[in-house]
Amino acid sequence: MVAWSLAPDRCLSNPTIYEVYPRSFRDTTGTGEGDLQGVIDGLDHIASLGVDAIWLAPVYPSPWADGGYDVSDHRGIDPRYGDLSDFDRLVAEAARRGLKIIMDMVLNHTSDQHPWFQAALAGDDAAAERYVWRDARPDGTPPNNWMSFFGGPAWRWEPRRSQYYLHQYLYRQPALDMRCPAVQEDHRDTLRFWRDRGVAGFRFDTVTAYFHDPELRDNPCASEEVRACVEGPPNSPYHMQDHTHDLLPGDCAAFMEKVRDWAGPDMWLMGECTSGNKAFELVRAFTGPDRLDALYTTAIPEGVGSPEVFAKAADEIAEPGALPWWFGCHDQPRVASGLGDGSAESARFHMALLAALPGPAFFYQGEELGLPQPDLDRDEIIDPFDLRFWPDHPGRDAARVPIPWTQGPASGFTSGTPWRPMRWDDSHSIAHQEQQDDSMLAQTRALLGARRKFGWAQARDRVLSAQDDLLEIRAQTDAGPLHAVFNFAEGSRPIPDAPEDPLFTQALEGGALGRWGFVIASPDG
């Protein structure tokens, strides 16, 4: 295994990141949808958490067929959010508070309303070369058997060209041909456009899907072992294939050297791994001094109930900075409900675990409040992925319900009607938790404050070990040793070789740690 160290000229090192989904963060205009001014107004709250950077989910112009990830202009701001001057103010105001902006970058596909795609439909062959168009088979069926992640064929017939086009996700997100020089040149210019506006890094959406087999060979059937690793709902036809030809992560990994060159040596770069097979192997392939800094994988949140997942990750990834820790985002159910039992204890447990793990980490807006996953009725759901798999939907819509700021109508999110139904209890609001010394918000600030003060994110010589339902973390920081134990079990578990540390003594009951129990020992307590 080859180990590498983060390049010294990066502007961030193992950052703690707060994901903002702007549409659901804060509305300042009464439209019921969040905006960039709302993010600016919320910067003091974000800074108070002790994070280093904000991952800003897409704010580009979009018809919103897939939550903003169907982009029609990669260098603009959707008018519902504001304009480029608002974005520039956000970058400046964040910097005043010691926060950096990480821009969400969707390079794999565009909206079907993008000028390139519209030009292709109008007969512009040069524009069509930017996408993946293929003729039908002699019997009129699609070029091959590839399936879309959203379920159903990955090809859609377009009468205006009498051809099929490839869409790995929603049919309204036509896939770009990443081998096309014109596409690469435009992506290069896009990264430099945002870099020059002051962003500190990029989060690359679905980075393991950039390339596919140019011969368009059929995918083979998936074995049971492979099906267990494929991302997405298990009742999707996407799970029935071994995605050996529609996803070529090896080619994608090599391409990251070009992406690094476009972004520059100082940008902190993180990618999303959407290939469940050999996830940790892909982390090693995609990251390095001349590639991405980090690649996150769903293997972490999907296996978070097992301490073995963490121990395996630490064992297989020599460089702690290459694998970000995370439990939730805009695409996943809320942590307290999705990974825990919906209790306040489970929410606190997962935040503490995130804080203690060495390496980069990110969490989603509202996790600092311990928000549970809201219940939405069928007629309240608008997300196409959730609708496709109802009633066994993944829960993306509910995770995007706006966060509560105050008690009262719309929980202070908007003066209008929120774009998603809000039925939060007043105790979930930021205003309420600000007044409670033992609130989830207070604990988040304390935990992330300790993470920063004692250098847990930068810890070295880390050892993560799993024994039964206990996860033990040992590492060295500049401030001294870090030792933490977390209990994933239903009941109490004894801690083997518990140290003679007052913190451990106070946390244990008869030498054991209770359900959702944890203890973190570091210098000065």
Side-chain angles (χ1 to χ4, degrees), residues 27-112:
D27 170 29
T28 63
T29 60
T31 63
E33 298 177 303
D35 46 55
L36 287 177
Q37 184 59 53
V39 181
I40 293 171
D41 290 351
L43 286 174
D44 287 337
H45 168 71
I46 297 172
S48 76
L49 302 175
V51 300
D52 304 303
I54 295 169
W55 158 13
L56 190 68
V59 290
Y60 314 106
S62 168
W64 279 84
D66 183 29
Y69 283 84
D70 48 318
V71 178
S72 56
D73 177 4
H74 284 82
R75 293 178 216 160
I77 298 294
D78 195 303
R80 74 184 71 200
Y81 289 139
D83 54 30
L84 282 170
S85 66
D86 295 313
F87 179 83
D88 292 340
R89 286 194 302 110
L90 170 61
V91 173
E93 289 298 322
R96 286 186 56 243
R97 295 162 174 83
L99 297 169
K100 298 184 183 299
I101 300 296
I102 297 171
M103 199 77 171
D104 208 325
M105 193 56 58
V106 188
L107 301 184
N108 183 70
H109 47 261
T110 70
S111 163
D112 60 356

Side-chain angles (χ1 to χ4, degrees), residues 12 23 37 129 135 172 267 308 343-344 360 481:
L12 289 165
R23 196 180 189 187
Q37 184 59 53
E129 288 178 358
D135 294 335
R172 296 194 60 187
M267 295 283 100
E308 286 80 7
S343 67

Side-chain angles (χ1 to χ4, degrees), residues 207-356:
V207 74
T208 49
Y210 283 4
F211 290 96
H212 59 269
D213 176 15
E215 297 180 23
L216 303 184
R217 286 170 288 188
D218 283 352
N219 282 330
C221 295
S223 65
E224 288 300 318
E225 181 181 4
V226 168
R227 290 187 67 170
C229 298
V230 175
E231 186 183 4
N235 57 347
S236 169
Y238 188 80
H239 264 252
M240 299 177 185
Q241 293 186 352
D242 189 341
H243 297 273
T244 55
H245 297 304
D246 59 338
L247 303 176
L248 297 182
D251 290 12
C252 298
F255 188 68
M256 293 305 103
E257 294 182 9
K258 187 169 288 189
V259 171
R260 167 57 67 188
D261 179 63
W262 296 343
D266 57 332
M267 295 283 100
W268 190 82
L269 307 181
M270 176 176 72
E272 176 196 26
C273 175
T274 54
S275 179
N277 291 340
K278 303 177 181 178
F280 297 139
E281 180 179 319
L282 291 178
V283 172
R284 296 195 299 270
F286 272 78
T287 59
D290 298 320
R291 297 188 177 188
L292 301 182
D293 295 299
L295 183 77
Y296 73 89
T297 167
T298 55
I300 299 301
E302 289 179 0
V304 78
S306 169
E308 286 80 7
V309 171
F310 296 91
K312 179 179 174 62
D315 184 58
E316 294 202 16
I317 310 298
E319 168 53 48
L323 180 67
W325 304 108
W326 69 292
F327 304 138
C329 70
H330 65 278
D331 275 340
Q332 299 282 338
R334 287 277 177 195
V335 171
S337 302
L339 303 181
D341 55 12
S343 67
E345 289 74 20
S346 67
R348 294 169 188 259
F349 173 90
H350 288 101
M351 184 59 73
L353 179 58
L354 196 75

